[in-house]
Amino acid sequence: MARAWTGVRALGAVLAAVLGASLAGCSSTGGKRAEDARKAQAAAGRAAVTTPRWTFAMVTHSGDGDTFWDIVQKGAEQAAAKDNINFLYSHNDEGQQQAQLVQTAIDKKVDGLIVSLAKPDAMKDVVARAEKAGIPVITVNSGSEQSKAYGALTHIGQDESIAGEAVGDELDRRGRKKALCVLHEQGNVGHEQRCAGAKKTFGGELQNLYVDGTNMPDVQASIEAKLQSDRSIDAVVTLGAPFADAAVQARRTAQSKAEVDTFDLNAKVATALKAGTLGFAVDQQPYLQGYQAVDLLWLYKYNADVLGGGRPVLTGPQIITRTDAAELQDYTERGTR
């Protein structure tokens, strides 16, 4: 903690600060140098704070090759560099294995945990063990309903039901009558909520199609078969950016005229939106989920700050169309949207 200063020392410090500010204000060159130095520090990955080098672990339900979680991880890593955090990342799309990775982090006595709750039943006990060990937990992306009950500080992500309802409304706005909702990970409560939300607000008919998300050829073949067997389907909604391209290929080989829409955004999706091969995307800002999770853990450790007031901190949904894609493409290409 800072020591109490004497009046003379405090006055001297104030005068020095005022003088420094005046000089900076009088010299655009000096201001530019300071800004350049700040940017160089950030680019070098040097911390912007002098707090202890705490260790935070993030354990998610990501499968291999999921670009969504690459963006989450990038946001977390950049916040960690700024906050002087030693950041550990691990993932497994099987609930029990994810829980084991959380236990490994607990055994390492990390200073903070960030976890997703796509399969909350598998994670409940291990999250309780983390809190019993005195490790603060923030949940991200999935499990907003369980987060508070499990004792997490807050949840960062989009409300999946609300996001699904936004999709149903958008399908109606586009005049669609029969939609296919493609679920690529069975047992993921967030995915079920997305499709249920879309079904709730969509004025047409919506069917669920379960596919094996770890096998992209199977994903494409399953969607293709459904489009061939039911020519009345005029919209296909995938629940992750990597699966949108498979749906586009399935539409082509099935010679279907169905519009393909998707949850989540990446460079490939932005390009497809601009080209018109995708109708719209639902962005939940994964970079922000990773960045804010690390930042909020740091704030809690440093200053006992908590955001949300007992409610989730929402990062979405935002409907992205062809009109928006050009503006966001630079960000998607650098891997932050």
Side-chain angles (χ1 to χ4, degrees):
M1 301 297 291
R3 294 171 297 177
W5 284 5
T6 64
V8 173
R9 291 180 66 197
L11 178 61
V14 170
L15 289 173
V18 171
L19 179 60
S22 299
L23 290 173
C26 293
S27 170
S28 60
T29 303
K32 185 176 186 305
R33 285 190 189 131
E35 178 63 11
D36 288 345
R38 185 193 66 76
K39 289 180 179 178
Q41 182 184 45
R46 290 196 293 271
V49 297
T50 57
T51 46
R53 190 160 174 78
W54 293 309
T55 295
F56 295 166
M58 175 183 277
V59 185
T60 75
H61 66 276
S62 170
D64 293 333
D66 191 332
T67 56
F68 176 91
W69 288 102
D70 293 342
I71 301 171
V72 175
Q73 187 177 350
K74 180 170 286 189
E77 287 172 344
Q78 291 191 0
K82 173 182 68 72
D83 293 339
N84 193 32
I85 298 301
N86 177 35
F87 178 71
L88 308 176
Y89 180 77
S90 58
H91 66 92
N92 198 295
D93 58 2
E94 294 294 333
Q96 292 301 325
Q97 281 75 9
Q98 185 192 3
Q100 289 172 12
L101 291 172
V102 174
Q103 184 61 55
T104 298
I106 295 170
D107 294 340
K108 290 180 179 178
K109 301 185 186 323
V110 297
D111 299 292
L113 263 170
I114 302 160
V115 300
S116 60
L117 300 178
K119 294 163 183 173
D121 291 344
M123 297 290 290
K124 183 176 182 179
D125 290 343
V126 76
V127 170
R129 288 197 292 272
E131 291 170 13
K132 187 176 181 180
I135 301 171
V137 177
I138 284 180
T139 60
V140 295
N141 183 257
S142 302
S144 60
E145 291 81 4
Q146 293 82 13
S147 178
K148 186 176 181 180
Y150 286 11
L153 297 175
T154 193
H155 178 84
I156 303 170
Q158 73 179 3
D159 184 298
E160 303 291 21
S161 295
I162 292 174
E165 290 170 13
V167 167
D169 288 337
E170 184 67 16
L171 291 172
D172 279 340
R173 193 184 71 79
R174 291 166 174 267
R176 303 299 159 182
K177 302 300 181 185
K178 191 169 187 178
L180 194 64
C181 195
V182 183
L183 298 96
H184 61 266
E185 185 182 339
Q186 292 197 41
N188 186 320
V189 293
H191 290 182
E192 297 285 350
Q193 289 167 346
R194 289 179 182 181
C195 292
K199 189 170 186 176
K200 179 180 177 181
T201 57
F202 181 39
E205 179 184 347
L206 185 140
Q207 298 178 357
N208 288 354
L209 176 66
Y210 293 90
V211 298
D212 179 4
T214 64
N215 185 341
M216 203 60 79
D218 177 73
V219 173
Q220 181 175 331
S222 297
I223 298 172
E224 180 183 340
K226 190 67 176 177
L227 291 176
Q228 286 176 334
S229 66
D230 188 348
R231 294 291 176 181
S232 64
I233 295 172
D234 58 7
V236 176
V237 180
T238 62
L239 302 187
F243 305 95
D245 187 56
V248 169
Q249 297 303 320
R251 175 184 62 190
R252 179 181 58 80
T253 52
Q255 298 183 332
S256 168
K257 294 182 179 180
E259 177 181 280
V260 176
D261 308 302
T262 190
F263 280 79
D264 303 332
L265 186 69
N266 63 15
K268 207 166 188 177
V269 167
T271 300
L273 286 170
K274 281 182 65 178
T277 53
L278 287 180
F280 66 88
V282 185
D283 186 23
Q284 60 174 308
Q285 301 183 102
Y287 177 89
L288 195 57
Q289 292 180 15
Y291 191 98
Q292 287 285 37
V294 169
D295 229 18
L296 290 184
L297 270 182
W298 178 84
L299 283 165
Y300 181 78
K301 293 287 292 183
Y302 173 66
N303 205 43
D305 288 318
V306 178
L307 285 184
R311 296 181 179 272
V313 178
L314 299 182
T315 63
Q318 179 183 8
I319 299 292
I320 306 295
T321 65
R322 187 175 191 171
T323 306
D324 311 304
E327 181 183 354
L328 298 177
Q329 191 162 20
D330 287 346
Y331 306 137
T332 61
E333 287 176 353
R334 77 181 183 191
T336 57
R337 285 297 290 268

